[in-house]
Amino acid sequence: MEAQVENAIEIASNPNADPTLKSQALDFISQLPSEPQSWRIGLSLFIREPRCSEVVRHTCLDIVNNAVRSERLDSQALDILRDNLLEYSRGIYGTSNAGQSLIDSLSLQNKIAQTLTSLFVCLYPTRWLSFFGDLLGLTSSSASSTRDNAVGIIFFLRILIQIHDEIADVFLTRNPEERRKSNELKDLIRERDAKTISTAWQDILSQWRGRDPRVNDLCLATIGRWASWTDISLIITATLRDLLLELVTSPAPQSNQQNNVPLRETALTTLNEILHKKMGSDYKLELIEFLKIREVIAHLIASPALADLRATSQYDTDLAESVAQLANHSLSDIVRALETAEDQGPVMMQGVSQLKGFLPLVLRFFSDEYDEICSTVIPCLSDLLTLFRRKEKSSPVIHEQSTNMLGPVLDAVIMKMRYDETSSWGNEDAQTDEAEFQELRKRLHVLQQAVAAVDDNLFQDKISTVVISTFDRFQRDSSQVDWRDLDLALYEMYLFGELGLKNGGLYSKTRPTSPAAERLIAMMFRLVECQIASSTHAAVQLQYIEICVRYYHFFDDNPQFISSTLERFILFVHHDHVKVQTRSWYLFLRFVKHIRHHIGDVAQTIIQALSDLLPIKAEIPDEVSDNSDMSSEENQQTPSARFDSQLHLYEAIGCICSARGVSVDNQVIYIRTVISPLFSDLEAHLGPAKNGDELAVMQVHHLIMALGTLARGFSDWTPASLTSSSKPPANQVSEEFSRTSEAILLALESVNVNTEVIRAAARFSFSRLVGVLGSRILPQLPRWIDGLLSRTSSKDEMALFMRLLDQVVYGFKTEIYNILDTLLTPLLERVFAGMAEDATGTDDEIQLAELKREYLSFLLVVLNNNLEAVLVSETNQSGFANVISTIEHLAKDASDFPTAKLAFTVLTRMAMTWGGPDVQANNPSPQPSLPGFDHFMMERFSPLCWALPSQPHFDAKDAQGKQAMGEAASLQKAIFTKTGDRYLSHLRNHELSSMGMDSGTVDEYLRVLSSSDVKAFKQYFQALVQRSNR
């Protein structure tokens, strides 16, 4: 049988074996675990001499291990396994003279350790009480009482790690029975062998110090794991602690030959794991004292690796990060103890003492030049500031510490906000470093906010001092101020706005809204008076205009600074650095939007100064430009990104043209100045675009976008808006923009190549032109529809235009009737054609669903704005049947509940619109405003409420389906409101009876429908549908 098993394993593991034979071998092996005596065969083959192949021995040991874990072996079998494996281990690992060739491979050693661990779980409680003593015997040679057998020590330590993973690994999921057994085993180990194991660790570390790093490394790893669940007092003795500290503070660290990790760092990791052990706060503070953590960290900070070499390329960043982790964990534990400690109690006093000792050490790593090391201690500082915020008022002791410590913490945070001396800004080679630093700044900002939450006055004093002192130094001698200091001051000033603008602005009736706003106003005066914008560094210039935009309120109350600030903006929009230039285009737009009413006198000057930036030059985007993996810096240099930024200039000019101080005549002149070159360029490129010139088509697209963006900048007025504070433009101005609309329509009607690009630009501009043309756009509406809803228009395009049309209908509800009456039928025919097309993919299905919903939304807009007559007018009456049919179809679509819900909403609105007045007790006869509509609702609308839940794929438990049924209930309630008892009779005698509903349910249904409000009937109907679909 052994030969048969061995042969089967060899065949199964041979990649060149016959497939049929290999399949038979695998089937045979898979059946072995079910054989009662398979463990004997596996054990015999594993320990046989001469040895079987590696794969055979590994598979056989796996069979043995599975047999043990399955708990189907009796005591005698387990004893046999224990004795044989222990004897084998003694023969191979129990002597330092064992030949290297006899030592098992690493995978086999792990499998043996796993099998012995399985036996440990079964036998340690009652039948193998000497388990650890037997295995400890492997660590010494037969003639020695010391731990002198490296092979045995490593094997012993591997088994300890396996035991930890088996009974204490928190990442393993265990059932209640497994947890009970694991807890019992841990209790037994603590009671019987914890001290013995701890002594063994001491012996190993003391006797192998400076000899074999592998032994020390594995021993430290074992201590770290076992410390998480073993009583610290049992395993971490003063002797073991001293050995650990000696390894940690060793000036000449050894390395583990396998992974080249210094033993000092392994020892630090072990200390960290010991500190991670869960225990009471007072015990944790005692542990920190006992392990002398503060002394260890201070010693390492003063070591040459972290002190003498700090400013050199030999600086040991790995060691620094490991020590920082130790400091972070220690301070976090101290803070947790202080959170629950009684004021003036022993825990509070001890915690405060340790806090004083640890904070300077933490701030040393926080201020480290390497951001990774700084980031390591941010969590503990965050915990500390949270403690101060929570207990600063309730605890005098904490208040005292907060007063003393907040200043140094905030100073360190502010200085860490500064670019370090080796950093550069705007350099393509440093983009990754720049992005990482900005992320760090965000985390540091959170710390600053935490400081401000504890002591607002301290925060304001510190920031104001940093900003004002830097500005003063710059004013005295700008050449002596590093750009990094200016950037820091401006960045802190920008963030200060969270306090300064908290009350909605800087001023209230010409007075500062708060003390923080007053400080911020003082900073703004110094900013503009010191001419900070004259700095030649791009980062400072960009920060300057960011601040001007954020604190535009300052310029509203101090308009004397607007002209000089605009001059700086004009310089920056012409900047030679692409990042500054494109960003300043956007910021310039935001600035002039806010202060447009103050710039009427200089409008012409600004427009002339920007004129050289307005010419549009389209480029064909290539694959590199469209690469989504590009950095933001590279993206800013792509043609499409640059054009998008250029549009901000056009919108800004629109804002400037419409400034309060600019006369209507001048507005017209300025607009013509801008649009005339665009018209000429458009005319020049229409011919090539018609002939398929791709670059010309793109140029036409850009020109149309620019025209629409200019209109958006000029006016944010929207027709029928009740909230907009702006007014519609003057007639002369609207006349100029009418020319713009005509030019875009001409391009839309002329270009037949790549028309989707042109339609997208025209659709964009159409929505912007509505605000400047008002009702002047209505006569052009049929041409806009013809151009934007062509036969080649996608469903997505149709849906987008329908959304725009909703706005037009809403905005011109009193003026659009005649035009809508003319164009409704052809418009809906195109929409129907789009909805009738089959979806060819996921994206197409999404677009089709969106088109359906936009179609229904359009009908709702028409009905809600008293334009319902257009649907049944003489012009459109022939198409009304199609409208009803499409709504009915959509209401029955169980694959798209949101659309079905919207369809029921439309039907309900129709019922309320054309159903006439509500029936009353003194006048029970329906009086529909549309003759015969009462019967129409009962015959056509009402059955739809049951048609949807009758669909094969309807899911009554679906939340969206439930909402659709709620709208169906609302429809029935609306029909009843308009028709009364006639609807009840119709339901009883025709609709519900034809469905097979029993008389009791019919009576209940009609009673709830007639006597309940809409909400109650919705709940009833939804519940009834759910019961019916079970």
Side-chain angles (χ1 to χ4, degrees), residues 821 825 869-882 930:
D821 188 46
T825 295
V870 77
L871 294 171
V872 292
S873 68
E874 186 176 348
T875 307
N876 301 303
Q877 195 169 26
S878 60
F880 185 66
N882 287 336
L930 201 63

Side-chain angles (χ1 to χ4, degrees), residues 101-403:
S101 60
L102 295 177
I103 303 300
D104 295 309
S105 65
L106 184 60
S107 63
L108 264 180
Q109 287 185 45
N110 289 334
K111 182 57 70 173
I112 298 170
Q114 185 183 37
T115 307
L116 285 171
T117 299
S118 299
L119 286 170
F120 163 83
V121 172
C122 294
L123 300 177
Y124 182 69
T126 56
R127 300 179 61 81
W128 197 357
L129 279 65
S130 61
F131 177 86
F132 291 105
D134 292 341
L135 294 178
L136 272 172
L138 305 177
T139 63
S140 303
S141 61
S142 57
S144 173
S145 60
T146 60
R147 311 291 181 195
D148 59 352
N149 181 18
V151 173
I153 292 172
I154 291 174
F155 185 68
F156 167 70
L157 293 173
R158 287 189 192 283
I159 293 174
L160 291 187
I161 290 176
Q162 283 282 356
I163 289 174
H164 163 81
D165 292 345
E166 177 69 26
I167 67 174
D169 190 341
V170 295
F171 295 106
L172 288 181
T173 303
R174 299 177 176 86
N175 60 42
E177 178 61 20
E178 289 172 337
R179 285 198 297 271
R180 184 190 64 77
K181 287 185 177 180
S182 295
N183 290 334
E184 287 180 355
L185 288 168
K186 286 187 282 189
D187 290 340
L188 288 173
I189 291 173
R190 297 183 189 109
E191 179 184 340
R192 297 175 182 171
D193 294 302
K195 289 185 177 180
T196 302
I197 294 170
S198 176
T199 302
W201 289 335
Q202 296 174 29
D203 294 342
I204 292 169
L205 288 177
S206 60
Q207 295 171 25
W208 285 88
R209 182 177 51 211
R211 294 171 61 187
D212 190 339
R214 295 177 305 161
V215 173
N216 289 279
D217 188 78
L218 196 59
C219 186
L220 290 171
T222 307
I223 294 171
R225 296 194 188 192
W226 278 56
S228 65
W229 55 273
T230 311
D231 291 346
I232 292 294
S233 60
L234 294 177
I235 62 170
I236 307 299
T237 63
T239 303
L240 184 56
R241 175 204 63 191
D242 293 341
L243 288 169
L244 280 173
L245 299 185
E246 186 176 342
L247 284 172
V248 168
T249 57
S250 173
Q254 298 169 294
S255 295
N256 181 340
Q257 296 174 1
Q258 291 181 329
N259 54 24
N260 201 34
V261 175
L263 284 179
R264 177 165 60 186
E265 293 188 27
T266 306
L268 280 170
T269 301
T270 301
L271 279 178
N272 264 315
E273 291 175 336
I274 293 172
L275 277 181
H276 267 117
K277 181 176 177 62
K278 293 181 179 179
M279 59 178 64
S281 299
D282 51 344
Y283 292 112
K284 182 59 71 76
L285 296 183
E286 293 291 344
L287 180 63
I288 292 173
E289 291 281 356
F290 175 74
L291 293 175
K292 301 180 179 180
I293 301 297
R294 190 192 65 79
E295 291 83 353
V296 168
I297 296 174
H299 176 86
L300 290 172
I301 288 176
S303 67
L306 299 187
D308 300 344
L309 301 177
R310 181 174 178 179
T312 70
S313 58
Q314 285 79 41
Y315 182 51
D316 193 342
T317 54
D318 291 336
L319 175 61
E321 193 166 351
S322 296
V323 182
Q325 288 175 353
L326 188 62
N328 178 69
H329 293 150
S330 301
L331 187 59
S332 291
D333 286 334
I334 294 169
V335 169
R336 276 191 287 272
L338 292 173
E339 284 177 345
T340 56
E342 294 182 4
D343 211 43
Q344 304 295 338
V347 175
M348 175 68 78
M349 294 300 102
Q350 184 181 18
V352 166
S353 175
Q354 291 184 352
L355 182 60
K356 293 177 181 178
F358 271 94
L359 183 60
L361 307 179
V362 168
L363 292 180
R364 149 63 181 88
F365 293 108
F366 181 78
S367 61
D368 197 280
E369 292 80 2
Y370 288 87
D371 294 343
E372 297 84 355
I373 297 170
C374 168
S375 298
T376 302
V377 296
I378 287 179
C380 71
L381 286 177
S382 179
D383 292 342
L384 177 63
L385 294 173
T386 301
L387 170 71
F388 287 162
R389 179 174 56 81
R390 290 176 178 173
K391 302 196 67 172
E392 195 262 348
K393 294 182 179 179
S394 62
S395 169
V397 176
I398 296 298
H399 173 76
E400 180 183 356
Q401 301 311 311
S402 170
T403 303

Side-chain angles (χ1 to χ4, degrees), residues 5-18 21-30 55 59:
V5 171
E6 181 179 8
N7 190 37
I9 296 173
E10 293 285 5
I11 293 172
S13 61
N14 184 0
N16 300 318
D18 177 80
L21 195 61
K22 189 171 186 176
S23 176
Q24 294 174 353
L26 289 170
D27 290 340
F28 176 77
I29 295 170
S30 65
V55 67
T59 305

Side-chain angles (χ1 to χ4, degrees), residues 40 505 531 544 706 771 868 998 1007:
R40 291 184 182 273
Q531 298 293 314
Y544 171 82
E868 65 276 0
D998 62 84
R1007 177 181 57 79

